[in-house]
Amino acid sequence: VHLSRDARVLVWVADVEAAHRVFARDLAAGRPIDTSCIPPGTVLSAGYEQTALTPDSRHLLLCLDTAVRPKALYRFDLA
């Protein structure tokens, strides 16, 4: 679970059908953020954090490993 610095965006990772799925919620607007562009796979930890948000909460950073994408650091737009 990761809360943005401004407490506007909450991001979490859950196991769904044997793969990690990333979910996000805009707490200020009270609505979910579409994360369907993030494929299911294995979200890897970098130290103790699985995810990171940019200071403006517009982008999510995570290390993701999937069956069709190599293990790498990815940036996804949440805006």
Side-chain angles (χ1 to χ4, degrees):
V1 175
H2 191 94
L3 182 64
S4 63
R5 289 182 190 176
D6 60 6
R8 187 180 69 85
V9 176
L10 182 68
V11 176
W12 67 97
V13 177
D15 288 325
V16 178
E17 297 178 4
H20 288 152
R21 292 294 311 192
V22 178
F23 298 93
R25 185 159 187 86
D26 183 331
L27 298 175
R31 64 172 181 78
I33 297 171
D34 181 16
T35 57
S36 61
C37 66
I38 303 172
T42 302
V43 178
L44 305 169
S45 298
Y48 63 91
E49 295 287 339
Q50 285 186 304
T51 61
L53 291 163
T54 55
D56 63 3
S57 303
R58 294 179 53 114
H59 303 283
L60 172 67
L61 304 169
L62 54 87
C63 187
L64 182 65
D65 188 17
T66 72
V68 295
R69 291 185 178 189
K71 178 175 28 176
L73 181 64
Y74 292 94
R75 183 184 81 171
F76 295 98
D77 185 11
L78 295 179

